[in-house]
Amino acid sequence: MGKRTKDWIKFKRMADEDFVVAGYIKKGGHMYSLVLAKYKGNTLIFRGYVTSGVTKEAIDTLEVTGKNPFLLMPIGEHDVIWVKTNHVCVVEYMPNLINSLRQPVFKGFRDDVLPKEVQASEAWSYVKKKYKLNVTNFLCSERSLTCYFYCILL
């Protein structure tokens, strides 16, 4: 017990999910991060970022508006180039209990889903109740700003 044998196989449990693209950040060189969101009713909610898999070709398909589509956004987002929220993308990530995007990878855009159809899940309410999370103890987490704003809007 405790030793790995050649029969031991490690695999990651990954999930994929649709997000609305709200903007992007030029990281330097040829690297970009997409700003991801979901709708809660008619309100766009910030959900996170994805850098891995994002190409210049993907960025070139986005239409720049210069207008922030969020009511609330984490502090420090000065360099975001805001775009028209008419693109839905698929992001693969490792699921976790704090509802953050862990190791996200951009998989491409979807043209068969309308942005308003990408609604925030009610599953997060279940996780908050089960683990007795609230805004007060959530502010102490690593991803406090993202989670804080998400909790308020739910």
Side-chain angles (χ1 to χ4, degrees):
M1 184 92 170
K3 288 190 176 184
R4 293 183 185 169
T5 67
K6 60 183 172 187
D7 296 328
W8 187 85
I9 298 173
K10 178 181 178 180
F11 67 95
K12 292 182 180 182
R13 183 177 152 257
M14 302 298 280
D16 63 352
E17 199 170 332
D18 294 341
F19 292 93
V20 176
V21 177
Y24 66 90
I25 301 169
K26 182 154 177 49
K27 297 281 196 170
H30 300 288
M31 289 184 60
Y32 298 88
S33 288
L34 293 178
V35 178
L36 304 174
K38 285 193 174 230
Y39 280 95
K40 180 70 176 177
N42 288 324
T43 304
L44 200 60
I45 300 170
F46 171 79
R47 290 303 311 273
Y49 305 96
V50 62
T51 302
S52 184
V54 179
T55 63
K56 175 74 169 123
E57 291 77 27
I59 296 298
D60 289 342
T61 65
L62 303 173
E63 184 182 335
V64 176
T65 64
K67 183 177 183 275
N68 182 344
F70 298 110
L71 294 177
L72 294 173
M73 182 71 182
I75 298 168
E77 301 308 320
H78 309 293
D79 300 329
V80 175
I81 298 166
W82 302 110
V83 299
K84 192 171 182 180
T85 55
N86 61 352
H87 281 75
V88 174
C89 69
V90 178
V91 175
E92 183 181 72
Y93 64 97
M94 186 178 291
N96 57 67
L97 292 177
I98 63 169
N99 205 35
S100 67
L101 296 176
R102 184 172 179 212
Q103 301 174 348
V105 179
F106 173 75
K107 292 296 184 179
F109 292 117
R110 293 189 62 175
D111 56 4
D112 61 330
V113 178
L114 296 172
K116 289 280 186 179
E117 294 174 353
V118 181
Q119 293 286 324
S121 170
E122 296 303 322
W124 181 231
S125 298
Y126 166 76
V127 171
K128 285 196 305 184
K129 286 178 190 172
K130 181 176 179 178
Y131 295 97
K132 296 177 177 65
L133 298 175
N134 60 41
V135 173
T136 305
N137 65 17
F138 223 19
L139 280 171
C140 299
S141 74
E142 290 180 275
R143 304 182 188 284
S144 59
L145 290 174
T146 302
C147 297
Y148 173 72
F149 288 126
Y150 187 67
C151 289
I152 287 175
L153 292 173
L154 285 178

